[in-house]
């Protein structure tokens, strides 16, 4: 455990950085091209990747806050990984700008004529109108950035002096963050995804997006943690016991997602009210049928089987494979939520979709590399660190 | 001289018992065991125990439970007793998931526990040599113990005692078999158990007999086979005349029934009653149907009396005669209502409207049988 | 008082010897009960007796003795059922979920909470049995070939309830019993009375504390915890399905499953906290069931209470958002209609008062936390009342609207359910160890071999 205090900052290998730059540049170029080729489809893809980035950024901040509030020790050595990923929250308003200018392509309720001819949309117009939408979006982004700023700053400052007051402050901030998180993530999910189909509603929708968000944040953190540890970026002394909780949480939240998704489906299927079932019926048109059935396999059965056994939760290779799969599953989930509003007859997947995904991955890699250059990878001043390195199941 | 079971050693620190276990493995003992008041971390590795297979047992049983539940519900809802409930399909998979899940958990939990207790542990076993010894009392409470069994291939009493002293055991003692513990017969065949099984069998049979042959005939368990209500044509002691079927109260009028004021007054009927229906196609069609049903057996299809009865019943006078033609609709209606001579009243077989349609049809018949050039 | 984050908070205060733990936990089983116990059990016994009388009246005369009417076909019976099932959830959460999260502070309270689960589920199970017209025919709830040739309706959530609650009861009982086996063995080895020894021997199955057995035992415990966790979530989810699969406004809303589960944990923890406050004082378990433990429980109460508050707000918002006038009316009716007093009790007790637990001093103050716990349970009972009764009294067709009032029999049965629960608890306290002896020993400082922090082999 003395190795911890001898920790020195290492930078991400330049090869990875180059990959990040290449992906981002290629992706962005292709994405901009896509806007000229098919404006609406590109806007939808921008929205899809926007929600994906929010998942990872906001979800990572949630994980950081969860560790502070719950007092967990096993995650302290690699809490910085989630802190770095939370920096994505700074990107969120940037990506929102082109979205704000293209609300017309996405949202039916932003069209004046549509609202005038539709009684339901009129009823919702005090909430679903462009100006209020933009304002509350900006407010929510600002709230997220403020919490990230203060929590990460406290954590960073603690590296220099190890004072426990920073931990206490972050615990308080994290505790306040939790209810704020609950409401803002629900609001974001309702605004950006649920209102794509403005006639439909589901009270569990915020929780649904939350379950996918936590999975995305856990999965991205796990991939990075395992890669870092296996390549000796993290302190010597971390053992498979530290991995176990990551695997267990991935498994648990896979179950949680399935539970929420199934509840939503079962209740709407059972009551059979047309005002609710049409949303699922839309996802049964043409090739969407395959995607709808596939989500059970992709998002539940495979991760469940892959992470069921005790050894699998601790095995680095298995964790990387399953985490990558779960990230793919989350993209698949968002795709299934968002894209049927664009292409009603069936699935459309081509270079445009791939372009945006590449850009997203590139952006994440570059951001992470940047944070790694500027900050310690391990919170060396954290009072829980010694206990964390000694942690055994 | 009692048979030796094992030599035991006690320790008072968890680190010591871990070392003791490692030493036992190193020395080559295989028939030995460690007893601790709670599970000590690292002991499984120290004893080099293979990982527990209970997880696989639970998995297999769980999957079987799920398959069984789904199959049973599929069979019941599709083959045995299909019912359309709430418009749902016969095999509504989303609705069956909750039950499948519960059955999976139930079977996996309970059966795995039973397998663990009865197969893995071979419990219940209250006749083990370790019971009721000082050793057991200590390891149950606050010390950790290890013992080497006498039938270990490497066992030699002197060597074992030496081994235990080398690893600093606090107390070393020998455990002997009690006489009744030298039981080699399989527990299932023990007399006590057999008697218990027989008693359970008798009790169970008695209960089943009682329930199915006696209880099901006692109210309220007889499912309302005997009810206090009255069945038609039953005897009923409530009324003085013992009849269960009663006449309606005097003055009761059947629904849709109106009193007929001209019962003995054909002239009055002919004068006062007016046909409320128009001779439309529908009314005439109805009248034809009703006439053919009720009137044609005696009056014939054409109203002239040449009927299917062929004189077995007095032939009625023709309806197409001048006399009847001259009657008003009300007069004809009266005959249907009140009857005439041998003809009974048809007021019970027909509704008021139907009777008027019959009258209209008779008019049509009369015209058809006495057709002039202009018809 | 300030927390030092470099130190692990010890689960058991001081470092009591194993022998003293044995003595302390076995004491209620080995001594005669004192006067207070007899006073307590006479109170609960009287409550129970009133309940038994009212149940007898119900069985003899029928559901007409209850306040149910058209349209309120579900009244106190179902409200009480959901209430008690909810209380049972805390036990399994403490036993199973906190075990999976490796939270050591559960050891002092797990056994007791599991016992409370079992008694709460037993109490809850009475209500579905009673609220049917012929409660002596419950066998037909279990699908089996019978002389009528009929089967249960697997599509109905009421049948799912049958499976869920009976599975929950069985698995909780098994989990509890498995945990008891090593303690029964310890008691067997220290008791002197012959009859007691025989009873303990039989029920401990001859457990020898062998490590070859502990290995499988620990795996079994993990498997049971792994099963019990989704099970407990599924039970209250299925109870919520009773309402949510319908088309009733105010009932048919997708957030019911997690909302009910959060509410169940919320009320369950409040009840456990309340009872533990008494138990730890009476039996001098304060260094095992520490103030830290109580504080952690209060934090969970705060979290789950906030989840319930979130659900209230989300339901309200989506009711407006949906534009469905019937749905909107339901919520207006709840707040301003004839049962608005019940709504405000519910809202204040569930959302407003528990927010006091943000303050550390309040979290660590025994009298205040006790009162808040009671208020939480009152609020949660009223939540079920609001959901069931206000939605039923005024649903789609105004000509069908009616008023609901409970009868004395209803109230008597509610009182009796508390009597049953607490009587069983009191009996449990004097016959079985309410703290898990072996688990507590395992988490005392120095009980596990010392790790040096290098690779653990």
């Amino acid at each position: 455990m003395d190795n911890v205090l001898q920790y020195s900052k290492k930078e991400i290998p330049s090869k990875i950085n180059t990959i990040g730059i290449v992906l981002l540049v290629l992706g962005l170029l292709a994405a901009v091209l896509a806007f000229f080729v098919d404006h609406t489809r590109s806007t939808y893809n921008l929205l899809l990747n926007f929600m994906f980035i929010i998942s990872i950024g906001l979800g990572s901040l949630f994980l950081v806050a969860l560790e502070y509030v719950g007092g967990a020790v096993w995650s302290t050595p690699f809490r910085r990984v989630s802190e770095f990923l939370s920096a994505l929250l700074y990107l969120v308003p940037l990506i929102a700008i082109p979205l704000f200018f293209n609300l017309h392509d996405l949202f039916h309720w932003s069209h004046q004529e549509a609202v005038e001819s539709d009684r339901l949309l009129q009823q919702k117009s005090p909430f679903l109108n462009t100006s209020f939408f933009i304002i509350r979006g900006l407010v929510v982004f600002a709230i997220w950035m403020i919490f990230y700023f203060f929590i990460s700053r406290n954590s960073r400052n603690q590296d220099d002096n190890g004072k426990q007051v920073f931990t206490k402050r972050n615990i308080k901030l994290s505790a306040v963050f939790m209810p704020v998180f609950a409401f803002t993530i629900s609001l974001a999910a309702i605004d950006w995804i649920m209102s794509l189909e403005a006639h439909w509603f589901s009270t569990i929708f915020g929780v649904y997006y939350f379950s996918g968000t936590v999975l995305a944040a856990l999965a991205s953190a796990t991939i990075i943690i395992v890669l870092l540890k296996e390549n000796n970026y993290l302190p010597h002394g971390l053992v498979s016991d530290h991995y176990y909780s990551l695997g267990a949480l991935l498994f648990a939240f896979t179950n949680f997602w399935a539970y929420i998704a199934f509840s939503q489906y079962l209740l709407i299927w059972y009551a059979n009210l047309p005002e609710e079932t049409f949303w699922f019926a839309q996802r049964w048109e043409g090739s969407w049928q395959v995607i709808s059935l596939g989500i059970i396999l992709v998002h539940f059965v495979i991760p469940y089987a892959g992470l069921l056994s005790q050894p699998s939760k601790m095995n680095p290779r298995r964790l990387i494979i399953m985490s990558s799969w779960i990230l793919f599953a989350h993209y698949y989930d968002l795709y299934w939520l968002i894209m049927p509003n664009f292409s009603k007859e069936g699935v459309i997947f081509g270079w445009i979709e791939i372009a945006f995904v590449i850009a997203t991955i590139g952006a994440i890699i570059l951001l992470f590399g940047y944070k790694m250059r500027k900050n310690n990878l391990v919170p060396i001043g954290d009072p829980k660190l010694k206990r964390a390195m000694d942690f055994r199941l | 001289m009692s048979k030796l079971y094992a030599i035991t050693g006690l320790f008072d620190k968890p680190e010591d018992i871990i070392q003791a276990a490692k030493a036992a493995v190193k020395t080559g003992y295989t028939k030995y065991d460690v007893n601790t008041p709670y599970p000590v971390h690292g002991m499984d590795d120290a004893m080099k125990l293979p990982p527990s297979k209970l997880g696989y047992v639970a998995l297999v049983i769980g999957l079987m439970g799920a398959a069984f539940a789904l199959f049973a519900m599929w069979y019941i809802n599709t083959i045995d007793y299909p019912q359309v409930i709430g418009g749902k399909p016969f095999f509504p998979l989303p609705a069956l998931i909750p039950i499948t899940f519960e059955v999976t958990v139930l079977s996996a939990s309970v059966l795995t526990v039973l397998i663990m207790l009865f197969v893995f542990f071979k419990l219940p076993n209250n006749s083990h040599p370790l019971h009721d010894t000082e050793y057991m009392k200590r390891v149950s409470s606050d010390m950790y113990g290890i013992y080497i069994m006498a039938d270990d291939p490497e066992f030699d009493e002197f060597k074992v005692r030496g081994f235990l002293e080398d690893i600093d055991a606090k107390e070393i003692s020998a455990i002997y078999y009690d006489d009744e513990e030298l039981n080699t017969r399989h527990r299932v065949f023990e007399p006590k158990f057999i008697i218990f099984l027989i008693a359970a069998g008798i009790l169970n049979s008695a209960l089943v007999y009682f329930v199915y042959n006696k209880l099901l005939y006692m109210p309220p368990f007889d499912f309302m086979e005997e009810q206090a209500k009255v069945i038609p044509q039953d005897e009923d002691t409530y009324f003085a005349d013992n009849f269960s079927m009663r006449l309606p109260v005097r003055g009761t009028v059947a629904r849709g029934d109106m009193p007929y004021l001209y019962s003995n007054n054909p002239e009055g009927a002919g004068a006062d009653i007016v046909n409320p229906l128009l001779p439309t196609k529908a009314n005439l069609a109805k009248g034809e149907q009703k006439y053919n049903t009720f009137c044609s057996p005696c009056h014939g299809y054409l109203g002239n009396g040449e009927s299917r009865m062929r004189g077995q019943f007095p032939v009625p006078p023709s309806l197409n005669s001048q006399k009847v033609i001259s009657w008003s609709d009300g007069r004809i209606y009266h005959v249907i209502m009140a009857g005439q001579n041998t003809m009974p009243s048809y007021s019970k077989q027909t509704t008021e409207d139907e009777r008027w349609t019959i009258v209209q049809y008779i008019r049509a018949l009369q015209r058809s049988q006495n057709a002039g050039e202009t018809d | 008082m300030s927390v030092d984050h470099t130190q692990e908070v010890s689960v058991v205060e001081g470092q009591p010897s194993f022998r003293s733990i044995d003595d302390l936990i076995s004491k209620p089983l080995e001594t005669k009960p004192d006067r207070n116990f007899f006073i307590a059990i006479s109170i609960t016994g009287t409550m129970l007796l009133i309940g038994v009388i009212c149940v007898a009246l119900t069985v003899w005369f029928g559901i007409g003795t209850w306040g149910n009417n058209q349209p309120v076909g579900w009244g106190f019976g179902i409200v009480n059922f959901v209430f008690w099932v909810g209380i049972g959830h805390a036990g399994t959460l403490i036993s199973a979920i906190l075990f999976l999260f490796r939270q050591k502070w559960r050891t002092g309270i797990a056994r007791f909470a599991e016992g409370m689960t079992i008694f709460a589920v037993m109490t809850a199970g009475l209500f579905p049995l009673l609220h049917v017209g012929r409660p002596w025919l419950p066998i037909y709830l279990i699908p089996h070939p019978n002389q009528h040739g009929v089967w249960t309706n697997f599509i109905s959530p009421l049948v799912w309830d049958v499976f869920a609650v009976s599975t929950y009861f069985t698995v909780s009982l098994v989990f509890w019993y498995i945990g008891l086996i090593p303690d029964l063995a310890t008691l067997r080895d220290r008791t002197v009375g012959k009859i007691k020894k025989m009873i303990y021997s039989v029920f401990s199955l001859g457990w020898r504390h062998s490590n070859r057995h502990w290995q499988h035992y620990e795996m079994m415990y993990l498997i049971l915890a792994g099963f019990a966790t989704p099970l407990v979530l599924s039970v209250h989810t299925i109870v919520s399905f009773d309402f949510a699969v319908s088309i009733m406004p105010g009932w048919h809303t997708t957030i019911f499953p997690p909302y009910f589960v959060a509410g169940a944990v919320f009320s369950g923890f409040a009840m456990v906290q309340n009872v533990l406050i008494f138990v730890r004082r009476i039996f001098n378990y304060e260094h095992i069931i520490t103030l830290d433990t109580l504080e952690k429980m209060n934090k969970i109460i705060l979290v789950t209470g906030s989840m319930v508050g979130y659900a209230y707000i989300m339901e309200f918002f989506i009711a407006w958002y949906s534009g469905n006038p019937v749905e909107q009316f339901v919520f207006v009716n709840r707040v301003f209609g004839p049962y608005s007093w019940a709504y405000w009790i519910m809202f204040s007790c569930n959302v407003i008062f528990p927010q006091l637990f943000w303050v550390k001093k309040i979290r660590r103050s025994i009298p205040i936390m006790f009162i808040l716990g009671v208020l939480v349970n009152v609020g949660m009972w009223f939540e079920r009342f609001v959901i069931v009764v206000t939605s039923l009294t005024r649903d789609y067709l105004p000509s069908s609207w009616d008023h609901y009032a409970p009868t004395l029999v209803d109230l008597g049965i509610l009182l009796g359910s508390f009597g049953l629960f607490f009587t069983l608890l009191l009996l449990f306290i004097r016959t079985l160890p309410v703290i898990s002896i072996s688990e507590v020993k395992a988490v005392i400082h120095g009980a596990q071999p010392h790790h040096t922090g290098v690779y653990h082999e």
Side-chain angles (χ1 to χ4, degrees), chain C residues 285-317:
Chain C
Y285 292 153
E286 276 128 330
H287 58 295
I288 301 178
I289 305 175
T290 60
L291 195 55
D292 282 326
T293 305
L294 288 174
E295 187 189 350
K296 285 200 170 72
M297 291 177 67
N298 290 334
K299 281 187 189 170
I300 293 184
I301 291 176
L302 174 62
V303 168
T304 47
S306 307
M307 289 184 194
V308 169
Y310 167 89
Y312 291 163
I313 295 174
M314 190 55 73
E315 276 189 309
F316 239 100
F317 171 70

Side-chain angles (χ1 to χ4, degrees), chain B residues 142-197:
Chain B
D142 56 0
M143 291 192 90
Y144 315 89
I146 188 170
Y147 66 89
I148 318 289
M149 286 165 69
D151 44 1
D152 184 289
E154 306 282 328
F155 185 81
D156 172 79
E157 184 163 348
F158 185 68
K159 273 205 194 131
V160 168
R161 283 184 184 271
F163 162 76
L164 287 169
E165 274 160 17
D166 285 339
I167 52 177
D168 294 323
K170 296 286 177 296
E171 275 170 47
I172 302 175
S173 59
I175 307 271
Y176 297 93
Y177 281 97
D178 285 344
D179 290 317
E180 66 263 15
E181 288 160 358
L182 275 174
N183 186 358
T184 48
R185 222 169 359 146
H186 205 285
R187 274 196 312 282
V188 180
F189 296 114
E190 234 175 89
K192 272 196 209 160
F193 186 64
I194 307 258
I195 293 174
F196 165 73
L197 275 182

Side-chain angles (χ1 to χ4, degrees), chain A residues 266-267 270-272, chain C residues 157 160 240-247 251-252:
Chain A
L266 177 70
L267 293 175
Y270 199 104
N272 212 7
Chain C
W160 303 345
S240 81
F241 284 161
D242 285 344
F243 305 102
V245 300
S246 72
I247 55 174
W251 282 11
H252 179 62

Side-chain angles (χ1 to χ4, degrees), chain B residues 13-31:
Chain B
K13 284 213 209 38
E15 294 84 9
D16 296 342
I17 189 67
I18 296 273
Q19 295 307 322
K22 287 186 179 160
V25 172
K26 204 147 152 242
T27 315
Y29 294 121
T30 48
K31 299 198 117 199

Side-chain angles (χ1 to χ4, degrees), chain A residues 132-143:
Chain A
F132 190 21
F133 184 88
I134 295 179
I135 293 173
R136 62 174 181 264
L138 291 173
V139 167
V140 161
F141 303 151
I143 292 177

Side-chain angles (χ1 to χ4, degrees), chain C residues 365-376:
Chain C
S365 149
I366 303 266
I368 304 185
M369 74 165 87
F370 183 80
I371 296 174
L372 286 178
V374 171
L375 286 177
V376 165

